[in-house]
Amino acid sequence: MGLTSETTVYVMVALAAVCVALLVWLWPRFARQGWRQVLARLVAVGTTQVVIIAAFACWLNSSYQFFGSWGELFGRVETAPVGVTQAGGPGVGTGNDVAVRGALVQPAGDEQLSRVSGLPAGPAAVTGRVESVKVIGRRTGVVDPAFVYLPPQYFQKAYQRQRFPVIVALSGYPGSIFNLAQHLRVSQTAGELQRSGRMQPTVMVMIRPTIAPPRDTECVNVPGGPQTETFLAKDLPEALKSAYRVGHDASAWGVMGYSSGGSCALQLTMRDPHVYTTAAALSPDYKVKDDPTTGDLFGSGPGRADRINGHDLMWRLKHLPAPQVSVLVAESKHGERGYPQTQAFIKAVKAPMRVASILPEHGSHNFPTWVQEMPPALEWMSRQLTFPQDVVPRHVKKGAGAADRPATGHGTLRADGTEPTPTAGTRR
C-alpha cells in the first residue's frame, strides 16, 4: 500500500476504530489493582492514541501530499535513476557533474496528477496540457518530481517557432507538487488568466525545493550536503531548456512560491539574477536560519558568517549592489506575523531593483489567502517576462516586459492585478 493511497487511510482508520473498541471492551480487566494492570492500562491507552494520531496523519498526508512515499517519510530518497553514473568526484550533492544517459526530463507516474481536479481536458491545442515528469540534475544528481503546464499556444502551428516564458512555482515545506496543483491551483489559475487575455502564454513548472526529504534545506547549498540552490538555479533551467521550447534568456524566467517556497523565490532571484529576473513571494521570510527541520545549513569554519549573511536578504540590500530584478511580496496586514518585516524589505529595496506588493487587510498563513493572491501575482509576473522569443537565437523577439521598463520603483497591486498611479519618487 502506498503512503498516499486511500487504502492506507482506510486501513489506518479501521485499525484505530478496532483499538478504541478493544480498549472499551477490555478496560474492566485493566481496572484491577496491581502493577501489571497499571502497566496494561498505560500500554492500551498509549497504543490507542498512537494509532489514532497515525490514522489522522495518514489522512492529512493523503490530502496534502507532504510525503509521497514510505521511503520519503523515513528519509530514503531517490537520488538518481538507472543510467546516471558519477563522473570524477565524490558523492551526489557535491557540485560535480554526473554523466546522464537519457533525457534530463523524463516521464513520471500520474498517481498524484490523477487526483488533481480542474486540469485541462480536451485537445492540447485548445486547452493546454499538464505533464507529470521527473527532473534529473546533471550537476547534483538530484531527481525531483514536477508537473509542467504547457499552454494551448505551445501546441498551435502559429507558435511552433516560439520559445515561451517560464514561471517556476515552488511549494513550501514540507509541501509537494500536489499542493501546488490542487490547493494553490497554479496551472488552473494560469490557464484561466491566459484564456481571458490577462496573462501571456507561459509554461508553468510546479516543483518542490525539498530535494532531500524530510530535511528542509531552504534552497541553500549545504556544505557537504544537498546542493539545493545549484539544482534550482542551474540543473532545473538546463533540464527544462533541453526538453521544452522555453526562453533561453533570463528575462523570460520567473520564480514564485508560498511560505518557505516564497523565501526561496526571493533568494534565487536576488542571488542568481542571471537565471531568474522576476520573483513573486507569498508570505516569505527574508532570512534563512537553522532550525530543527533544517539542521546545520551553513557549516563551520571561517566562511560560515559569509554564508549566513549571503542568505539574509536585508543584509544583502544594505551591503551589496542591488540586482536588476523585479520582485513582488505578499503579506496580510492582520493575521500574518511577517508584515513588519515585509514593510522593512520594501523600504530597503533600491534601484535598479524593483518591488511591488500585495498587502491585503486580513489573511492567514494558509492556502485560502494564497489562492486569493495568485491571480494578481501571476498577472504582475507576466508583465515582467519577455515574450515571444524565436527558436533561432539570432531572431529573438522581445515583447513588453522587464527589459522594456525602467528598472526601479515600488508599487502595490490592486486586487485585479493592476498597478495604481505611481506615487512621488517612483520612476516609470
Side-chain angles (χ1 to χ4, degrees):
M1 295 182 295
L3 178 61
T4 61
S5 70
E6 293 183 355
T7 302
T8 301
V9 176
Y10 293 148
V11 169
M12 291 304 301
V13 170
L15 186 59
V18 169
C19 286
V20 171
L22 287 174
L23 178 65
V24 174
W25 180 262
L26 297 174
W27 191 257
R29 299 184 183 181
F30 298 153
R32 300 171 184 171
Q33 298 295 324
W35 68 269
R36 293 182 180 177
Q37 286 73 21
V38 172
L39 181 61
R41 288 198 293 271
L42 290 175
V43 171
V45 171
T47 301
T48 302
Q49 290 180 334
V50 168
V51 173
I52 291 174
I53 292 172
F56 176 76
C58 282
W59 168 80
L60 192 65
N61 186 69
S62 179
S63 298
Y64 291 92
Q65 304 280 310
F66 298 122
F67 299 97
S69 67
W70 294 104
E72 284 188 15
L73 179 63
F74 295 107
R76 298 192 302 272
V77 185
E78 179 187 17
T79 57
V82 175
V84 178
T85 55
Q86 186 69 33
V92 168
T94 62
N96 298 292
D97 287 5
V98 295
V100 179
R101 294 196 299 272
L104 296 176
V105 177
Q106 301 179 9
D110 289 338
E111 179 183 350
Q112 291 192 78
L113 192 60
S114 64
R115 301 180 59 194
V116 178
S117 60
L119 294 180
V126 177
T127 63
R129 186 169 72 200
V130 178
E131 299 181 344
S132 178
V133 302
K134 57 182 178 182
V135 179
I136 303 167
R138 184 172 60 83
R139 297 165 184 80
T140 59
V142 167
V143 179
D144 210 17
F147 294 151
V148 179
Y149 166 74
L150 302 171
Q153 291 83 353
Y154 189 91
F155 304 96
Q156 296 171 5
K157 187 174 181 180
Y159 292 83
Q160 65 183 357
R161 290 195 56 77
Q162 302 300 318
R163 298 191 188 275
F164 289 77
V166 184
I167 294 178
V168 175
L170 302 175
S171 64
Y173 175 83
S176 67
I177 55 177
F178 179 83
N179 288 350
L180 291 165
Q182 175 68 12
H183 300 293
L184 197 60
R185 296 180 56 81
V186 170
S187 57
Q188 298 91 321
T189 304
E192 293 167 2
L193 293 173
Q194 292 174 34
R195 284 192 296 273
S196 64
R198 295 157 60 191
M199 181 179 178
Q200 61 186 334
T202 304
V203 173
M204 306 293 300
V205 180
M206 292 158 272
I207 198 165
R208 60 180 188 181
T210 308
I211 65 170
R215 186 178 185 181
D216 179 14
T217 54
E218 291 282 341
C219 293
V220 171
N221 280 345
V222 180
Q227 303 292 286
T228 313
E229 183 177 4
T230 296
F231 175 73
L232 293 172
K234 294 182 179 179
D235 285 345
L236 177 62
E238 177 188 53
L240 294 173
K241 290 173 184 177
S242 73
Y244 298 102
R245 295 197 323 274
V246 294
H248 281 200
D249 190 85
S251 63
W253 284 74
V255 57
M256 70 176 305
Y258 65 88
S259 190
S260 62
S263 306
C264 285
L266 290 178
Q267 293 276 344
L268 288 168
T269 304
M270 293 180 64
R271 290 174 55 86
D272 300 280
H274 58 287
V275 179
Y276 300 103
T277 56
T278 301
L282 313 182
S283 306
D285 291 321
Y286 302 95
K287 181 179 181 179
V288 175
K289 296 180 290 186
D290 290 344
D291 63 35
T293 66
T294 66
D296 184 2
L297 293 175
F298 303 107
S300 58
R304 175 178 171 83
D306 290 338
R307 289 190 288 271
I308 292 175
N309 288 335
H311 288 278
D312 182 341
L313 300 185
M314 297 300 293
W315 184 92
R316 295 183 70 90
L317 289 173
K318 183 177 181 180
H319 295 93
L320 300 178
Q324 188 166 337
V325 296
S326 298
V327 301
L328 178 146
V329 290
E331 193 86 26
S332 301
K333 296 178 182 178
H334 304 285
E336 293 192 85
R337 296 179 299 174
Y339 181 71
Q341 290 78 17
T342 295
Q343 285 288 76
F345 177 81
I346 293 171
K347 293 177 181 177
V349 170
K350 53 184 180 292
M353 186 174 172
R354 300 177 71 245
V355 62
S357 58
I358 300 174
L359 305 172
E361 286 294 327
H362 300 279
S364 301
H365 198 82
N366 57 25
F367 283 110
T369 297
W370 299 325
V371 167
Q372 288 182 317
E373 296 166 346
M374 274 288 290
L378 286 177
E379 287 185 60
W380 176 85
M381 292 189 76
S382 182
R383 292 196 295 271
Q384 317 307 311
L385 302 177
T386 58
F387 177 80
Q389 294 189 356
D390 197 280
V391 170
V392 182
R394 64 175 177 271
H395 296 311
V396 170
K397 305 173 184 177
K398 292 187 177 181
D404 304 309
R405 294 184 168 198
T408 183
H410 298 59
T412 301
L413 300 187
R414 298 189 181 98
D416 62 359
T418 60
E419 297 182 32
T421 304
T423 56
T426 301
R427 291 171 46 197
R428 291 284 181 180

